[in-house]
Amino acid sequence: MVKGKFITFEGIDGAGKSTHVETISTYLRAKGKTVVTTREPGGTPLGERLRELLLHESMHLETEALLMFASRREHIDKLIAPALERGDWVISDRFTDASFAYQGGGRQLSTHKLDILEHWVHADFQPHLTLLFDVSLDVARARLDNTRTLDKFEREKHDFFEKVRNAYLQRAAQFPKRIRVVDSSQPLANVTQQIEQLIDQLDE
Ligand code: TYD
């Protein structure tokens, strides 16, 4: 699974990562790369069905974590690994760091259990680069309220998102080479420029 590059985009809901998935894909395609964009939970027909359940049904915390990883197992096998073997660039809107942030930080599932699931599903496999779009809760909330009907996670309280954000930042501190924190409160053009530089470094 080593020919292509695997980049994941993370951040609390409303951090703006989905916009940047589009911008960066266009940027990479202009550089002549074959780009596959995808998302979690989801990314495969089965994964998208699991996504429906995960975003709209209430369930036990461990069921939620297990389904996130079930969707991920399918995603790696059916989409991510084959694309990387072909030499494509894969950009995923969320991956395992989201489970540590939301199920671990937000819902307080033990990191030990998440470590076990991560090891089970992708022991020797990690993104080449993870961009963590970081923004204050107030900015994120304002962006969300303006755009859409909120799903199960997006309806959570301030305190939940504070824990999710802190867990993301902790993870970035734990894996500083892989996870790069991007200040997403900056004007869009600045953020884009920052991430293009990070992507260029990966292409060298
Ligand atoms: P999100 O990526 O924000 O998609 P959209 O922009 O279409 O709303 O939604 C996915 C939600 O799933 C998000 O609130 C975070 C949550 N999530 C987890 O709780 N754990 C995970 O492992 C993943 C991948 C996502």
Side-chain angles (χ1 to χ4, degrees):
M1 264 200 230
V2 281
K3 272 168 65 195
K5 298 282 185 201
F6 181 37
I7 308 173
T8 60
F9 283 42
E10 300 283 358
I12 57 173
D13 294 87
K17 67 187 168 44
S18 306
T19 310
H20 293 295
V21 168
E22 289 315 311
T23 323
I24 286 302
S25 312
T26 310
Y27 178 70
L28 282 168
R29 285 188 183 113
K31 289 177 74 163
K33 313 289 180 201
T34 304
V35 182
V36 177
T37 58
T38 184
R39 66 175 182 181
E40 287 204 354
T44 63
L46 177 59
E48 290 296 323
R49 290 171 72 181
L50 293 172
R51 180 185 176 93
E52 269 307 299
L53 295 171
L54 281 161
L55 265 52
H56 303 292
E57 300 283 333
S58 67
M59 59 185 75
H60 190 282
L61 161 61
E62 293 188 352
T63 310
E64 187 176 279
L66 288 162
L67 288 181
M68 290 290 179
F69 275 95
S71 155
R72 185 161 298 134
R73 185 70 197 90
E74 200 66 13
H75 196 200
I76 295 170
D77 184 55
K78 299 276 183 339
L79 188 142
I80 300 171
L84 294 179
E85 275 159 22
R86 290 194 301 269
D88 297 352
W89 286 57
V90 179
I91 298 185
S92 186
D93 191 336
R94 300 191 188 281
F95 192 62
T96 295
D97 296 309
S99 300
F100 281 89
Y102 283 79
Q103 282 66 51
R107 303 221 198 280
Q108 302 278 288
L109 178 63
S110 85
T111 306
H112 176 62
K113 286 186 175 166
L114 290 164
D115 282 336
I116 292 171
L117 289 175
E118 179 184 34
H119 191 259
W120 187 7
V121 168
H122 58 99
D124 304 315
F125 175 67
Q126 289 294 339
H128 295 98
L129 173 69
T130 297
L131 299 173
L132 170 56
F133 292 87
D134 185 53
V135 79
S136 73
L137 299 191
D138 292 343
V139 172
R141 178 51 54 181
R143 285 181 184 163
L144 276 188
D145 288 345
N146 283 337
T147 48
R148 53 184 167 199
T149 331
L150 303 182
D151 66 40
K152 187 180 94 184
F153 292 100
E154 292 163 346
R155 285 198 304 271
E156 287 286 346
K157 305 267 179 299
H158 189 278
D159 178 51
F160 175 85
F161 285 108
E162 196 145 85
K163 288 190 272 184
V164 173
R165 184 186 184 198
N166 288 337
Y168 264 135
L169 290 171
Q170 255 176 40
R171 213 135 154 96
Q174 198 182 347
F175 303 104
K177 277 185 72 177
R178 173 174 66 83
I179 307 181
R180 309 305 293 264
V181 182
V182 178
D183 177 359
S184 194
S185 62
Q186 303 247 330
L188 203 61
N190 293 16
V191 180
T192 306
Q193 201 184 16
Q194 253 188 80
I195 58 186
E196 283 176 0
Q197 272 172 13
L198 290 167
I199 300 276
D200 286 343
Q201 286 168 15
L202 200 61
D203 195 22
E204 279 162 6

